[in-house]
């Protein structure tokens, strides 16, 4: 009887402790505001390049509604899928601290079925800056469904520049006249995509947007490359671009005549309306392509009475050096206030010893007679059950932990549901190696990281001598130039199953991605939130309970 009583008391204590933790968790979030959104996802006719296409609309809009938030806000997005196919939204650069359950990619979430509903419950924890959302399933990213996310600093946190007179979002990127289903069919048949047909700014083609400014005032422009195939360059006729933020990090304030923005990346710059009143061209063009695609919007002075007479700014040269040198010049503002990565209790990221080196090499391959793309010779194939869900329920046979190696194998490419094993609080060095003749763009969900080095040629341990270990920018998307490498430092402080992917969407779709499983043996809510009660379950997890007793 004594043992039974002791057991019962222990169970009660455990239950009380769990209830206390849950209440503390809710109280911690209760202090931060909630912002609620209801989004209806539909197909609709759009004409961005003058040709009728089937686009993805959110509440009838293309692009979708912008999310405006403040650091630590709780964002509730209730999504109703009125498409005839499954659907998911992902949140580029939002770290989903302790909650990869909200990440919105197929490796972590079951799709929202046709006619179904899912509510994303996110906190923009310790983040500021410029982000965007997009549809991640199938080839929906080529159909629209994207929108901007703007996260402002808390009112009492000083920002390293005066409040701008206005805050504009530019979602720029390449576009195809073919419907997304046709593009997907091309890839499924084993072929590569054709060259894009044009560029869009906020869903519109040439002269489709006008940004009105008052002479003498300064404005903030947040620019994201939401395309699927090409890097772009942005410049404004007669005006300088003062860079102030890169993907959630305040940057040293450098002045540029134009800025390269690679796939998936976001930048903020200030523009002062210091020219004679007129209409000036905001020009976006593709980089490293033949031919060069160009589109424009209008910077309209409110007292203008005609177009500017000065010549438009020239496009950058096709040489890589311009872009590489510009990327190297972008530095972190170490004196700015605001949330920032903080590995092992120190802002001095370069003084923390790395515990592991990972080398990732992209490649193009033919497997079973079809075009594929690979990382370390593995071309990713989706499993029948989302990997995060399978991991939570310990469902065997869905993936093999450690199937993604830390180094290039040099062997022939093969198909695999590849997952890299990692442990909480590892501090890793990751080198992205690109032996191909095309610029690569990579994104890691759940994290920001420091881009400590990039250069041409083959990376070797001696390359570390050139690393920037003082003020490298912290960001969530990086580029790797042709025949070059890029190195990052990253603290693995966010438990979950995280997608590491190419931002070239054909490459991502055809296998240039994998998942990074960051594990903590503590199995504690301190490290990871419990599975959401409303989590959708599919595949081999169908019929399970989201909160098993």
């Amino acid at each position: 009887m004594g043992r039974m009583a002791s057991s019962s008391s222990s169970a009660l204590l455990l239950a009380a402790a769990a209830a206390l933790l849950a209440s503390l968790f809710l109280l911690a979030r209760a202090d931060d505001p909630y912002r609620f959104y209801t989004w209806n996802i539909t197909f609709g006719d759009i004409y961005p390049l003058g040709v009728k296409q089937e686009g993805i609309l959110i509440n009838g809009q293309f692009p979708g509604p912008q999310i405006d938030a403040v650091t630590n806000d709780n964002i509730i997005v209730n999504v109703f899928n009125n498409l005839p196919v499954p659907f998911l939204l992902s949140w580029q650069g939002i770290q989903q601290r302790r909650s990869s359950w909200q990440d919105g990619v197929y490796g972590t979430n079951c799709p929202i079925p046709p006619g179904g509903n899912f509510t994303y419950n996110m906190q923009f924890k310790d983040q500021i800056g410029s982000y965007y959302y997009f549809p991640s399933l199938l080839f929906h990213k080529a159909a629209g469904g994207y929108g901007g996310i703007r996260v402002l600093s808390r009112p009492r946190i000083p920002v390293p520049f005066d409040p701008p007179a206005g805050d504009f979002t530019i979602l720029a990127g390449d576009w195809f006249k073919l419907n997304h289903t046709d593009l997907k069919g091309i890839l499924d048949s084993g072929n590569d995509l054709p060259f894009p047909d044009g560029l869009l700014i906020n869903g519109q083609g040439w002269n489709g947007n006008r940004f009105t400014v008052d002479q003498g005032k300064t404005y903030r422009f947040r620019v994201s490359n939401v395309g699927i195939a090409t890097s772009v360059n942005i410049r404004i006729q007669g005006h300088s671009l003062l860079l102030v933020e890169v993907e959630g990090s305040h940057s040293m304030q450098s002045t540029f005549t134009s800025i390269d923005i690679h796939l998936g990346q976001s930048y903020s710059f200030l523009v002062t309306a210091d020219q004679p009143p007129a209409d000036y061209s905001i020009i976006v063009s593709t980089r490293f392509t033949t031919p060069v695609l160009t589109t424009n919007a209008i910077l309209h002075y409110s007292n203008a009475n005609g177009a500017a007479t000065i010549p438009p700014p020239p496009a950058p040269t096709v040489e890589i050096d311009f872009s590489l040198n510009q990327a190297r010049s972008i530095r972190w503002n170490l004196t700015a206030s605001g949330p920032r990565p903080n590995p092992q209790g120190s802002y001095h990221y370069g003084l923390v010893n790395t515990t592991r080196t990972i080398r990732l090499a992209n490649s193009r391959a033919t497997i079973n007679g079809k075009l594929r793309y690979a990382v370390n010779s593995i071309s990713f194939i989706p499993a029948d059950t989302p990997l995060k869900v399978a991991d939570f329920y310990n469902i065997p046979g869905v993936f093999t932990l450690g199937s993604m190696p830390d180094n290039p194998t040099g062997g022939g490419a093969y198909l695999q549901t590849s997952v890299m094993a990692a442990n909480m609080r590892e501090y890793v060095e990751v080198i992205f190696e690109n032996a191909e003749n095309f610029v690569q763009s990579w994104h890691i969900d759940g994290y920001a990281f420091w881009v400590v080095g990039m250069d041409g040629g083959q990376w070797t341990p001696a390359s570390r001598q050139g690393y920037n270990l003082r003020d490298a920018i912290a960001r969530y998307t990086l580029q790797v130039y042709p025949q070059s490498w890029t190195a990052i430092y990253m603290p693995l402080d966010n438990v979950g199953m995280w997608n590491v992917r190419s931002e070239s969407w054909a490459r991502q779709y055809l296998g240039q991605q994998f998942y990074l499983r960051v594990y903590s043996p503590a199995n504690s809510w301190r490290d990871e939130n419990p599975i959401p009660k409303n989590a959708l379950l599919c595949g081999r997890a169908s019929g399970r309970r989201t909160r098993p007793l």
Side-chain angles (χ1 to χ4, degrees):
M1 283 292 292
R3 285 181 183 172
M4 289 180 65
S6 174
S7 234
S8 175
S9 299
S10 297
L12 287 171
L13 285 170
L14 285 171
L20 177 61
L21 280 173
S23 63
L24 288 173
F25 171 71
L26 291 173
L27 282 171
R29 297 191 65 171
D31 293 336
D32 299 308
Y34 280 76
R35 299 176 187 266
F36 296 89
Y37 301 83
T38 298
W39 288 355
N40 291 299
I41 312 301
T42 59
F43 282 135
D45 293 340
I46 58 175
Y47 302 81
L49 293 178
V51 176
K52 179 180 175 180
Q53 294 177 266
E54 181 181 73
I56 292 178
L57 309 180
I58 301 179
N59 294 350
Q61 302 176 40
F62 167 61
Q66 177 160 291
I67 292 178
D68 288 314
V70 175
T71 300
N72 290 353
D73 280 358
N74 298 287
I75 307 298
I76 313 298
V77 185
N78 195 2
V79 177
F80 291 87
N81 178 19
N82 294 307
L83 306 181
V85 292
F87 183 78
L88 277 175
L89 280 174
S90 191
W91 318 89
Q92 185 88 348
I94 300 301
Q95 293 179 22
Q96 309 292 1
R97 302 297 300 178
R98 303 186 302 120
S99 190
S100 60
W101 298 110
Q102 307 296 332
D103 200 29
V105 291
Y106 180 67
T108 59
N109 295 96
C110 290
I112 307 170
N117 160 251
F118 179 72
T119 300
Y120 291 89
N121 186 343
M122 304 172 283
Q123 186 178 29
F124 291 177
K125 181 69 175 170
D126 294 334
Q127 291 190 263
I128 56 100
S130 309
Y131 311 90
Y132 66 91
Y133 61 84
F134 67 94
S136 64
L137 205 61
L138 303 174
F139 212 64
H140 286 159
K141 195 176 183 183
Y146 52 73
I149 301 174
R150 179 170 55 191
V151 186
L152 302 178
S153 295
R154 288 185 164 191
R156 294 184 181 180
I157 303 299
V159 174
F161 49 88
D162 292 334
D167 195 326
F168 300 117
T169 295
I170 290 180
L171 304 173
D174 49 57
W175 192 260
F176 295 79
K177 291 181 179 179
L178 287 175
N179 278 330
H180 67 283
T181 50
D182 297 320
L183 297 173
K184 178 178 176 294
I186 291 171
L187 296 174
D188 289 340
S189 67
N191 297 301
D192 210 346
L193 294 182
F195 191 71
D197 295 295
L199 294 175
L200 303 184
I201 295 175
N202 293 349
Q204 302 292 322
W206 196 269
N207 283 348
N209 288 268
R210 173 178 288 201
F211 301 91
T212 300
V213 298
D214 293 333
Q215 190 175 23
K217 295 182 178 180
T218 298
Y219 297 81
R220 182 172 182 171
F221 284 81
R222 301 170 187 262
V223 186
S224 297
N225 184 343
V226 297
I228 65 172
T230 59
S231 302
V232 299
N233 176 274
I234 187 167
R235 50 205 183 274
I236 301 180
Q237 183 182 17
H239 293 74
S240 298
L241 314 179
L242 182 66
L243 185 67
V244 293
E245 179 245 335
V246 178
E247 298 180 354
S249 292
H250 292 304
S251 65
M252 293 299 292
Q253 295 182 16
S254 302
T255 300
F256 297 95
T257 55
S258 70
I259 295 177
D260 281 352
I261 306 177
H262 304 277
L263 287 166
Q265 294 184 340
S266 297
Y267 289 79
S268 281
F269 51 80
L270 300 179
V271 176
T272 299
D274 55 4
Q275 298 299 305
D279 286 345
Y280 296 87
S281 291
I282 302 172
I283 302 172
V284 175
S285 59
T286 56
R287 290 287 275 131
F288 323 119
T289 65
T290 303
V292 174
L293 301 175
T294 300
T295 194
N296 83 322
I298 300 299
L299 183 71
H300 170 70
Y301 280 52
S302 57
N303 57 343
N305 50 21
T309 57
I310 62 174
T317 66
V318 296
E319 300 299 326
I320 296 292
D321 286 352
F322 168 90
S323 191
L324 175 62
N325 291 331
Q326 183 182 86
R328 284 171 165 168
S329 74
I330 296 172
R331 301 299 177 95
W332 202 19
N333 188 336
L334 300 180
T335 63
S337 300
R340 61 176 71 196
N342 186 23
Q344 301 186 19
S346 169
Y347 292 129
H348 303 294
Y349 69 92
L351 301 180
V352 181
N353 291 327
T354 56
T355 56
R356 179 178 176 185
T357 295
I358 300 166
R359 295 170 51 213
L360 302 174
N362 52 269
S363 60
R364 177 185 173 114
T366 300
I367 303 176
N368 300 327
K370 292 187 175 183
L371 172 66
R372 299 289 301 186
Y373 293 97
V375 187
N376 288 357
S377 300
I378 302 175
S379 186
F380 182 87
I381 51 172
D384 59 7
T385 305
L387 309 182
K388 178 63 182 172
V389 174
D391 195 31
F392 178 78
Y393 289 108
N394 294 315
I395 300 173
V398 176
F399 67 90
T400 301
L401 194 60
S403 49
M404 169 55 65
D406 280 15
N407 294 284
T409 63
Y414 59 96
L415 303 174
Q416 174 82 40
T417 304
S418 42
V419 178
M420 179 176 286
N423 294 316
M424 175 74 162
R425 296 190 177 86
E426 286 185 333
Y427 189 57
V428 299
E429 172 191 38
V430 187
I431 299 101
F432 294 83
E433 302 177 359
N434 177 22
E436 298 185 68
N437 292 319
F438 301 93
V439 175
Q440 307 292 315
S441 189
W442 289 88
H443 176 85
I444 303 177
D445 280 350
Y447 284 93
F449 44 75
W450 289 276
V451 181
V452 296
M454 58 176 64
D455 206 349
Q458 178 65 45
W459 180 88
T460 69
S463 303
R464 295 184 178 121
Q465 296 174 13
Y467 282 4
N468 176 3
L469 299 182
R470 182 179 182 274
D471 60 354
I473 198 77
R475 61 187 312 167
Y476 53 78
T477 313
L478 62 98
Q479 72 270 26
V480 194
Y481 292 101
Q483 306 291 327
S484 299
W485 57 267
T486 296
I488 67 171
Y489 278 4
M490 184 168 71
L492 299 185
D493 58 359
N494 198 10
V495 171
M497 186 78 71
W498 303 107
N499 191 221
V500 181
R501 64 174 176 267
S502 171
E503 283 298 307
S504 169
W505 220 240
R507 285 177 168 266
Q508 179 270 352
Y509 184 80
L510 293 180
Q512 193 172 310
Q513 61 170 309
F514 66 92
Y515 281 81
L516 176 70
R517 180 196 187 242
V518 180
Y519 174 73
S520 170
N523 194 25
S524 164
W525 286 12
R526 180 193 64 190
D527 293 334
E528 185 175 29
N529 295 344
I531 185 172
K533 289 183 179 180
N534 70 329
L536 301 174
L537 299 179
C538 56
R540 303 187 210 181
S542 297
R544 307 264 183 149
R545 298 183 61 169
T546 56
R547 295 282 179 88
L549 296 176

Short mmCIF file of all heavy atoms in Angstrom, two decimals, residues 45-86:
data_model
loop_
_atom_site.label_atom_id
_atom_site.label_comp_id
_atom_site.label_asym_id
_atom_site.label_seq_id
_atom_site.Cartn_x
_atom_site.Cartn_y
_atom_site.Cartn_z
N ASP A 45 -8.45 34.17 -61.73
CA ASP A 45 -7.79 34.64 -62.95
C ASP A 45 -6.93 35.86 -62.63
O ASP A 45 -7.38 36.82 -62.01
CB ASP A 45 -8.83 35.01 -64.01
CG ASP A 45 -9.60 33.81 -64.52
OD1 ASP A 45 -9.10 32.67 -64.36
OD2 ASP A 45 -10.71 34.00 -65.05
N ILE A 46 -5.67 35.80 -63.07
CA ILE A 46 -4.76 36.94 -62.94
C ILE A 46 -4.11 37.19 -64.30
O ILE A 46 -4.03 36.29 -65.13
CB ILE A 46 -3.70 36.72 -61.85
CG1 ILE A 46 -2.86 35.45 -62.14
CG2 ILE A 46 -4.34 36.62 -60.46
CD1 ILE A 46 -1.71 35.24 -61.16
N TYR A 47 -3.63 38.41 -64.51
CA TYR A 47 -3.05 38.81 -65.80
C TYR A 47 -1.75 39.59 -65.57
O TYR A 47 -1.59 40.70 -66.10
CB TYR A 47 -4.03 39.67 -66.59
CG TYR A 47 -5.36 39.02 -66.87
CD1 TYR A 47 -6.36 38.98 -65.91
CD2 TYR A 47 -5.62 38.44 -68.12
CE1 TYR A 47 -7.59 38.40 -66.16
CE2 TYR A 47 -6.85 37.86 -68.39
CZ TYR A 47 -7.83 37.83 -67.40
OH TYR A 47 -9.05 37.24 -67.67
N PRO A 48 -0.80 39.06 -64.80
CA PRO A 48 0.38 39.88 -64.46
C PRO A 48 1.24 40.26 -65.64
O PRO A 48 1.87 41.32 -65.63
CB PRO A 48 1.14 38.99 -63.47
CG PRO A 48 0.65 37.61 -63.74
CD PRO A 48 -0.76 37.74 -64.17
N LEU A 49 1.30 39.42 -66.66
CA LEU A 49 2.08 39.75 -67.86
C LEU A 49 1.18 39.89 -69.09
O LEU A 49 1.60 39.69 -70.22
CB LEU A 49 3.15 38.68 -68.11
CG LEU A 49 4.28 38.61 -67.07
CD1 LEU A 49 5.24 37.48 -67.40
CD2 LEU A 49 5.03 39.94 -66.97
N GLY A 50 -0.09 40.22 -68.83
CA GLY A 50 -1.04 40.42 -69.92
C GLY A 50 -1.66 39.15 -70.46
O GLY A 50 -2.43 39.21 -71.42
N VAL A 51 -1.36 38.01 -69.86
CA VAL A 51 -1.90 36.73 -70.28
C VAL A 51 -2.71 36.15 -69.13
O VAL A 51 -2.27 36.16 -67.97
CB VAL A 51 -0.76 35.75 -70.67
CG1 VAL A 51 -1.32 34.37 -71.01
CG2 VAL A 51 0.04 36.31 -71.83
N LYS A 52 -3.89 35.65 -69.42
CA LYS A 52 -4.73 35.06 -68.38
C LYS A 52 -4.08 33.82 -67.80
O LYS A 52 -3.65 32.93 -68.54
CB LYS A 52 -6.11 34.72 -68.97
CG LYS A 52 -7.06 34.08 -67.97
CD LYS A 52 -8.39 33.77 -68.64
CE LYS A 52 -9.34 33.03 -67.71
NZ LYS A 52 -10.63 32.73 -68.37
N GLN A 53 -4.00 33.77 -66.46
CA GLN A 53 -3.42 32.63 -65.76
C GLN A 53 -4.25 32.27 -64.55
O GLN A 53 -5.02 33.10 -64.05
CB GLN A 53 -1.99 32.95 -65.30
CG GLN A 53 -0.99 33.14 -66.42
CD GLN A 53 0.38 33.53 -65.87
OE1 GLN A 53 0.70 34.69 -65.76
NE2 GLN A 53 1.17 32.52 -65.51
N GLU A 54 -4.05 31.05 -64.05
CA GLU A 54 -4.68 30.63 -62.81
C GLU A 54 -3.75 30.97 -61.66
O GLU A 54 -2.67 30.39 -61.52
CB GLU A 54 -4.95 29.12 -62.85
CG GLU A 54 -5.64 28.59 -61.60
CD GLU A 54 -5.86 27.09 -61.67
OE1 GLU A 54 -4.87 26.35 -61.54
OE2 GLU A 54 -7.01 26.67 -61.84
N GLY A 55 -4.13 31.94 -60.85
CA GLY A 55 -3.29 32.36 -59.73
C GLY A 55 -3.89 31.95 -58.40
O GLY A 55 -5.08 31.62 -58.31
N ILE A 56 -3.07 31.96 -57.38
CA ILE A 56 -3.54 31.70 -56.01
C ILE A 56 -3.81 33.03 -55.34
O ILE A 56 -2.91 33.88 -55.23
CB ILE A 56 -2.51 30.87 -55.22
CG1 ILE A 56 -2.42 29.45 -55.82
CG2 ILE A 56 -2.89 30.80 -53.75
CD1 ILE A 56 -1.39 28.57 -55.15
N LEU A 57 -5.04 33.21 -54.89
CA LEU A 57 -5.47 34.45 -54.26
C LEU A 57 -5.71 34.20 -52.77
O LEU A 57 -6.15 33.12 -52.38
CB LEU A 57 -6.76 34.96 -54.90
CG LEU A 57 -6.79 35.08 -56.42
CD1 LEU A 57 -8.15 35.60 -56.88
CD2 LEU A 57 -5.67 35.97 -56.93
N ILE A 58 -5.42 35.20 -51.96
CA ILE A 58 -5.73 35.17 -50.54
C ILE A 58 -6.71 36.29 -50.27
O ILE A 58 -6.40 37.47 -50.48
CB ILE A 58 -4.46 35.32 -49.68
CG1 ILE A 58 -3.47 34.19 -50.00
CG2 ILE A 58 -4.82 35.32 -48.19
CD1 ILE A 58 -2.17 34.27 -49.22
N ASN A 59 -7.92 35.91 -49.86
CA ASN A 59 -9.01 36.88 -49.71
C ASN A 59 -9.20 37.68 -50.99
O ASN A 59 -9.45 38.89 -50.96
CB ASN A 59 -8.77 37.81 -48.52
CG ASN A 59 -8.81 37.08 -47.18
OD1 ASN A 59 -9.21 35.91 -47.12
ND2 ASN A 59 -8.39 37.74 -46.12
N GLY A 60 -9.03 37.00 -52.12
CA GLY A 60 -9.22 37.62 -53.42
C GLY A 60 -8.08 38.49 -53.88
O GLY A 60 -8.19 39.14 -54.93
N GLN A 61 -6.96 38.50 -53.15
CA GLN A 61 -5.85 39.40 -53.47
C GLN A 61 -4.64 38.64 -53.99
O GLN A 61 -4.35 37.53 -53.55
CB GLN A 61 -5.41 40.17 -52.21
CG GLN A 61 -6.48 41.00 -51.55
CD GLN A 61 -5.97 41.64 -50.27
OE1 GLN A 61 -4.83 42.10 -50.19
NE2 GLN A 61 -6.81 41.69 -49.25
N PHE A 62 -3.92 39.27 -54.92
CA PHE A 62 -2.60 38.83 -55.36
C PHE A 62 -1.74 40.07 -55.55
O PHE A 62 -2.07 40.91 -56.37
CB PHE A 62 -2.67 38.04 -56.67
CG PHE A 62 -1.32 37.83 -57.31
CD1 PHE A 62 -0.33 37.13 -56.63
CD2 PHE A 62 -1.03 38.34 -58.57
CE1 PHE A 62 0.93 36.95 -57.22
CE2 PHE A 62 0.22 38.16 -59.16
CZ PHE A 62 1.19 37.45 -58.48
N PRO A 63 -0.65 40.23 -54.79
CA PRO A 63 -0.22 39.38 -53.67
C PRO A 63 -1.22 39.40 -52.52
O PRO A 63 -2.16 40.20 -52.51
CB PRO A 63 1.11 40.01 -53.24
CG PRO A 63 1.57 40.80 -54.43
CD PRO A 63 0.31 41.31 -55.06
N GLY A 64 -0.97 38.53 -51.53
CA GLY A 64 -1.87 38.42 -50.40
C GLY A 64 -1.70 39.56 -49.41
O GLY A 64 -0.82 40.43 -49.56
N PRO A 65 -2.54 39.60 -48.37
CA PRO A 65 -2.48 40.67 -47.37
C PRO A 65 -1.13 40.70 -46.66
O PRO A 65 -0.52 39.66 -46.42
CB PRO A 65 -3.60 40.31 -46.39
CG PRO A 65 -4.46 39.30 -47.10
CD PRO A 65 -3.58 38.59 -48.06
N GLN A 66 -0.69 41.89 -46.32
CA GLN A 66 0.55 42.01 -45.55
C GLN A 66 0.27 41.79 -44.07
O GLN A 66 -0.76 42.21 -43.54
CB GLN A 66 1.16 43.40 -45.76
CG GLN A 66 2.44 43.62 -44.93
CD GLN A 66 3.29 44.74 -45.47
OE1 GLN A 66 3.89 44.63 -46.54
NE2 GLN A 66 3.35 45.84 -44.74
N ILE A 67 1.21 41.14 -43.38
CA ILE A 67 1.16 41.00 -41.94
C ILE A 67 2.03 42.09 -41.33
O ILE A 67 3.22 42.18 -41.63
CB ILE A 67 1.65 39.61 -41.49
CG1 ILE A 67 0.67 38.53 -41.95
CG2 ILE A 67 1.82 39.56 -39.98
CD1 ILE A 67 1.10 37.12 -41.60
N ASP A 68 1.43 42.93 -40.50
CA ASP A 68 2.16 43.96 -39.77
C ASP A 68 2.17 43.59 -38.30
O ASP A 68 1.11 43.37 -37.70
CB ASP A 68 1.50 45.33 -39.96
CG ASP A 68 1.72 45.88 -41.35
OD1 ASP A 68 2.87 45.83 -41.82
OD2 ASP A 68 0.75 46.36 -41.97
N ALA A 69 3.36 43.51 -37.71
CA ALA A 69 3.49 43.04 -36.34
C ALA A 69 4.61 43.78 -35.64
O ALA A 69 5.34 44.57 -36.23
CB ALA A 69 3.74 41.53 -36.33
N VAL A 70 4.73 43.50 -34.35
CA VAL A 70 5.79 44.04 -33.50
C VAL A 70 6.48 42.85 -32.84
O VAL A 70 5.86 41.79 -32.63
CB VAL A 70 5.21 45.01 -32.45
CG1 VAL A 70 6.28 45.48 -31.47
CG2 VAL A 70 4.55 46.20 -33.12
N THR A 71 7.76 43.00 -32.52
CA THR A 71 8.52 41.94 -31.87
C THR A 71 7.71 41.26 -30.77
O THR A 71 7.11 41.93 -29.92
CB THR A 71 9.80 42.52 -31.24
OG1 THR A 71 10.60 43.11 -32.27
CG2 THR A 71 10.62 41.44 -30.55
N ASN A 72 7.69 39.92 -30.80
CA ASN A 72 7.04 39.06 -29.81
C ASN A 72 5.52 39.01 -29.94
O ASN A 72 4.86 38.35 -29.12
CB ASN A 72 7.42 39.42 -28.38
CG ASN A 72 8.87 39.08 -28.04
OD1 ASN A 72 9.56 38.45 -28.84
ND2 ASN A 72 9.32 39.50 -26.88
N ASP A 73 4.94 39.66 -30.94
CA ASP A 73 3.50 39.52 -31.15
C ASP A 73 3.15 38.06 -31.44
O ASP A 73 3.93 37.32 -32.05
CB ASP A 73 3.04 40.38 -32.33
CG ASP A 73 2.84 41.84 -31.97
OD1 ASP A 73 3.03 42.17 -30.78
OD2 ASP A 73 2.51 42.62 -32.86
N ASN A 74 1.95 37.68 -31.01
CA ASN A 74 1.39 36.38 -31.35
C ASN A 74 0.51 36.54 -32.58
O ASN A 74 -0.40 37.39 -32.59
CB ASN A 74 0.57 35.83 -30.18
CG ASN A 74 1.42 35.61 -28.94
OD1 ASN A 74 2.22 34.69 -28.88
ND2 ASN A 74 1.25 36.47 -27.94
N ILE A 75 0.79 35.75 -33.59
CA ILE A 75 0.10 35.87 -34.87
C ILE A 75 -0.76 34.62 -35.08
O ILE A 75 -0.24 33.50 -35.11
CB ILE A 75 1.10 36.03 -36.03
CG1 ILE A 75 2.08 37.17 -35.76
CG2 ILE A 75 0.36 36.24 -37.35
CD1 ILE A 75 1.43 38.53 -35.61
N ILE A 76 -2.06 34.82 -35.22
CA ILE A 76 -3.00 33.72 -35.44
C ILE A 76 -3.57 33.86 -36.85
O ILE A 76 -4.27 34.83 -37.14
CB ILE A 76 -4.14 33.74 -34.40
CG1 ILE A 76 -3.59 33.94 -32.98
CG2 ILE A 76 -4.98 32.47 -34.51
CD1 ILE A 76 -2.67 32.85 -32.51
N VAL A 77 -3.23 32.91 -37.72
CA VAL A 77 -3.69 32.97 -39.11
C VAL A 77 -4.57 31.75 -39.37
O VAL A 77 -4.08 30.61 -39.41
CB VAL A 77 -2.52 33.00 -40.10
CG1 VAL A 77 -3.04 33.19 -41.53
CG2 VAL A 77 -1.54 34.11 -39.76
N ASN A 78 -5.85 31.99 -39.54
CA ASN A 78 -6.83 30.92 -39.77
C ASN A 78 -6.99 30.76 -41.28
O ASN A 78 -7.53 31.65 -41.95
CB ASN A 78 -8.15 31.30 -39.11
CG ASN A 78 -9.10 30.12 -38.99
OD1 ASN A 78 -8.75 29.00 -39.36
ND2 ASN A 78 -10.30 30.36 -38.50
N VAL A 79 -6.49 29.64 -41.82
CA VAL A 79 -6.42 29.44 -43.26
C VAL A 79 -7.50 28.44 -43.69
O VAL A 79 -7.55 27.31 -43.20
CB VAL A 79 -5.03 28.92 -43.67
CG1 VAL A 79 -4.98 28.64 -45.18
CG2 VAL A 79 -3.95 29.93 -43.29
N PHE A 80 -8.33 28.87 -44.63
CA PHE A 80 -9.36 28.00 -45.22
C PHE A 80 -8.93 27.69 -46.65
O PHE A 80 -8.80 28.59 -47.47
CB PHE A 80 -10.72 28.68 -45.21
CG PHE A 80 -11.31 28.83 -43.83
CD1 PHE A 80 -11.00 29.96 -43.06
CD2 PHE A 80 -12.13 27.86 -43.29
CE1 PHE A 80 -11.52 30.10 -41.79
CE2 PHE A 80 -12.67 27.99 -42.01
CZ PHE A 80 -12.36 29.12 -41.27
N ASN A 81 -8.70 26.42 -46.93
CA ASN A 81 -8.24 25.99 -48.25
C ASN A 81 -9.43 25.70 -49.15
O ASN A 81 -10.08 24.65 -49.04
CB ASN A 81 -7.36 24.75 -48.12
CG ASN A 81 -6.91 24.24 -49.48
OD1 ASN A 81 -6.94 24.99 -50.47
ND2 ASN A 81 -6.50 22.99 -49.55
N ASN A 82 -9.73 26.64 -50.03
CA ASN A 82 -10.81 26.45 -50.99
C ASN A 82 -10.29 26.05 -52.37
O ASN A 82 -11.01 26.19 -53.37
CB ASN A 82 -11.64 27.74 -51.09
CG ASN A 82 -12.36 28.05 -49.79
OD1 ASN A 82 -13.07 27.20 -49.27
ND2 ASN A 82 -12.16 29.24 -49.26
N LEU A 83 -9.06 25.55 -52.41
CA LEU A 83 -8.52 24.98 -53.64
C LEU A 83 -8.98 23.53 -53.77
O LEU A 83 -9.31 22.87 -52.77
CB LEU A 83 -7.00 25.02 -53.63
CG LEU A 83 -6.30 26.37 -53.38
CD1 LEU A 83 -4.79 26.19 -53.43
CD2 LEU A 83 -6.75 27.40 -54.40
N PRO A 84 -8.95 22.97 -54.98
CA PRO A 84 -9.28 21.55 -55.15
C PRO A 84 -8.11 20.63 -54.84
O PRO A 84 -8.18 19.42 -55.06
CB PRO A 84 -9.68 21.47 -56.62
CG PRO A 84 -8.90 22.56 -57.28
CD PRO A 84 -8.80 23.67 -56.28
N VAL A 85 -7.02 21.19 -54.33
CA VAL A 85 -5.80 20.41 -54.03
C VAL A 85 -5.30 20.80 -52.64
O VAL A 85 -5.65 21.85 -52.12
CB VAL A 85 -4.70 20.69 -55.08
CG1 VAL A 85 -5.09 20.13 -56.45
CG2 VAL A 85 -4.39 22.18 -55.18
N PRO A 86 -4.44 19.97 -52.02
CA PRO A 86 -3.88 20.32 -50.71
C PRO A 86 -3.04 21.59 -50.78
O PRO A 86 -2.56 21.99 -51.84
CB PRO A 86 -3.02 19.10 -50.35
CG PRO A 86 -3.55 17.99 -51.19
CD PRO A 86 -4.03 18.62 -52.46
#
